[in-house]
Amino acid sequence: MNFYNNFTNKHLKIAHRGYRSIRPENTLSAFEASIGKFDFIELDIQVTKDLELVVFHDYKLERTTNINKNKNFPFNGSYNIYDYTLEELRLLDIQNWFIKDDPFGKIKKGKVTKEELKSLTKQAILTVDDILLFAQTNNIALNIELKDCDCIEDELFVSKLLSCIDKHNIKIPLLISSFNDNYLKIIKEKSHNIATAINIENKHPEDLINYVNSLNVQSYHCAVNIATPSVVKRLIDAGFVVNVFTVNDEKKASELFDMGIKSIFTDYCLECTS
């Protein structure tokens, strides 16, 4: 079944790492805040030292954790997420940095208060199992992005994710995306019924349509600065769904929808007129 047949809206809004302009990204609170405001949720998956799959964007832990201030954390000199076990990573807080940094200025603007954020329960790093059960319980679709992880064999990484999905008998719509096209090829070899998407950031591949066709993906995800009308038209005419990241401006979102794209990844709950 086509992943996009699950949605009634013509144009879709994807919660980029959850509703991350008012909650710390890739946390349970960010995903909870997304419910009812976005069509589906995007999140990032990578692997720990003990080969557990966790929800986290950066390869390093400094930006969104309290690793430098957590006296209970067994810091070994490395900031790489893959140099720690899941048990160790669960000790980290991934919320207070947001209160301190106010990365989108929402606290300063009064859109969310420090008191409201502090009232939330401690936000810890989530596993794939955690987010799959959350999405199943709340009946919300997911775009799972597989980060490019050199610390695990490609096939094992993909297999572990597919095993988690099978284990929970997931019924919600799932889309798996990555910048690593080998992951997508392996998924298609192992599980043809899961929708996939290739992520492209800086430059469109040469021989674009043949390249995307070779991956057997439903969707093409590209950065907003390279989403030109001519490229979008070529992809749509070839039968691909085009989604664009990261779009935080309502006017730009409307322009992209007019261009024919299906979805925008956004940090805000935009009201798009197109």
Side-chain angles (χ1 to χ4, degrees), residues 149-203:
C149 294
D150 294 333
C151 55
I152 184 173
E153 293 292 332
D154 289 2
E155 186 165 353
L156 178 58
F157 190 21
V158 171
S159 296
K160 289 179 76 69
L161 174 60
L162 296 178
S163 294
C164 287
I165 293 169
D166 291 341
K167 176 177 67 176
H168 295 294
N169 192 27
I170 296 299
K171 301 299 184 184
I172 56 159
L174 284 179
L175 175 66
I176 300 177
S177 64
S178 185
F179 288 95
N180 185 324
D181 59 13
N182 194 46
Y183 294 161
L184 306 178
K185 293 173 183 176
I186 295 170
I187 289 169
K188 286 305 175 182
E189 291 171 1
K190 293 179 173 291
S191 184
H192 292 281
N193 61 335
I194 294 182
T196 54
I198 182 67
N199 296 344
I200 301 293
E201 186 165 21
N202 298 314
K203 182 181 179 182

Side-chain angles (χ1 to χ4, degrees), residues 20-23 97-114 117 267-268:
R20 69 186 288 250
S21 62
I22 66 165
R23 294 289 188 272
W97 74 273
F98 185 92
I99 299 172
K100 175 180 174 289
D101 294 352
D102 192 17
F104 293 88
K106 293 295 186 179
I107 298 173
K108 183 178 180 180
K109 293 176 183 177
K111 301 297 183 181
V112 62
T113 67
K114 290 184 178 181
L117 292 166
D267 301 316
Y268 300 118

Side-chain angles (χ1 to χ4, degrees), residues 64-78:
T64 62
T65 79
N66 66 339
I67 187 171
N68 287 319
K69 296 181 179 179
N70 190 326
K71 295 180 179 180
N72 295 318
F73 186 77
F75 182 61
N76 61 19
S78 173

Side-chain angles (χ1 to χ4, degrees), residues 10-216:
K10 180 181 178 181
H11 302 134
L12 304 178
K13 294 183 293 185
I14 308 169
H16 181 226
R17 306 181 208 167
Y19 198 169
R20 69 186 288 250
S21 62
I22 66 165
R23 294 289 188 272
E25 64 184 56
N26 277 331
T27 61
L28 183 61
S29 65
F31 300 139
E32 288 173 336
S34 306
I35 302 297
K37 298 180 179 67
F38 298 84
D39 295 286
F40 58 103
I41 295 170
E42 183 267 352
L43 56 105
D44 307 280
I45 297 296
Q46 50 184 309
V47 69
T48 67
K49 183 178 181 179
D50 51 342
L51 302 185
E52 296 291 337
L53 302 189
V54 290
V55 181
F56 205 78
H57 177 267
D58 296 6
Y59 294 110
K60 295 187 178 293
L61 294 160
E62 298 106 306
R63 183 175 66 89
T64 62
T65 79
N66 66 339
I67 187 171
N68 287 319
K69 296 181 179 179
N70 190 326
K71 295 180 179 180
N72 295 318
F73 186 77
F75 182 61
N76 61 19
S78 173
Y79 289 98
N80 298 321
I81 190 170
Y82 54 78
D83 284 329
Y84 297 96
T85 66
L86 174 61
E87 182 179 4
E88 291 168 339
L89 291 168
R90 290 279 208 183
L91 297 172
L92 293 170
D93 172 83
I94 55 174
Q95 172 175 279
N96 284 330
W97 74 273
F98 185 92
I99 299 172
K100 175 180 174 289
D101 294 352
D102 192 17
F104 293 88
K106 293 295 186 179
I107 298 173
K108 183 178 180 180
K109 293 176 183 177
K111 301 297 183 181
V112 62
T113 67
K114 290 184 178 181
E115 290 70 28
E116 179 183 354
L117 292 166
K118 288 178 179 178
S119 70
L120 300 171
T121 56
K122 176 188 173 184
Q123 300 296 303
I125 290 176
L126 301 170
T127 65
V128 167
D129 291 320
D130 294 332
I131 190 59
L132 288 174
L133 290 171
F134 167 83
Q136 187 96 306
T137 300
N138 290 278
N139 193 31
I140 187 162
L142 296 179
N143 173 192
I144 297 174
E145 179 185 332
L146 285 173
K147 300 288 288 182
D148 196 355
C149 294
D150 294 333
C151 55
I152 184 173
E153 293 292 332
D154 289 2
E155 186 165 353
L156 178 58
F157 190 21
V158 171
S159 296
K160 289 179 76 69
L161 174 60
L162 296 178
S163 294
C164 287
I165 293 169
D166 291 341
K167 176 177 67 176
H168 295 294
N169 192 27
I170 296 299
K171 301 299 184 184
I172 56 159
L174 284 179
L175 175 66
I176 300 177
S177 64
S178 185
F179 288 95
N180 185 324
D181 59 13
N182 194 46
Y183 294 161
L184 306 178
K185 293 173 183 176
I186 295 170
I187 289 169
K188 286 305 175 182
E189 291 171 1
K190 293 179 173 291
S191 184
H192 292 281
N193 61 335
I194 294 182
T196 54
I198 182 67
N199 296 344
I200 301 293
E201 186 165 21
N202 298 314
K203 182 181 179 182
H204 298 291
E206 295 182 10
D207 198 12
L208 176 61
I209 301 304
N210 284 334
Y211 170 73
V212 182
N213 267 321
S214 72
L215 301 177
N216 196 21

Side-chain angles (χ1 to χ4, degrees), residues 199-244:
N199 296 344
I200 301 293
E201 186 165 21
N202 298 314
K203 182 181 179 182
H204 298 291
E206 295 182 10
D207 198 12
L208 176 61
I209 301 304
N210 284 334
Y211 170 73
V212 182
N213 267 321
S214 72
L215 301 177
N216 196 21
V217 297
Q218 283 191 8
S219 312
Y220 186 86
H221 298 173
C222 67
V224 62
N225 60 300
I226 62 170
T228 62
S230 60
V231 169
V232 169
K233 185 178 187 304
R234 284 176 61 200
L235 288 160
I236 293 173
D237 288 347
F240 299 107
V241 172
V242 181
N243 303 325
V244 175

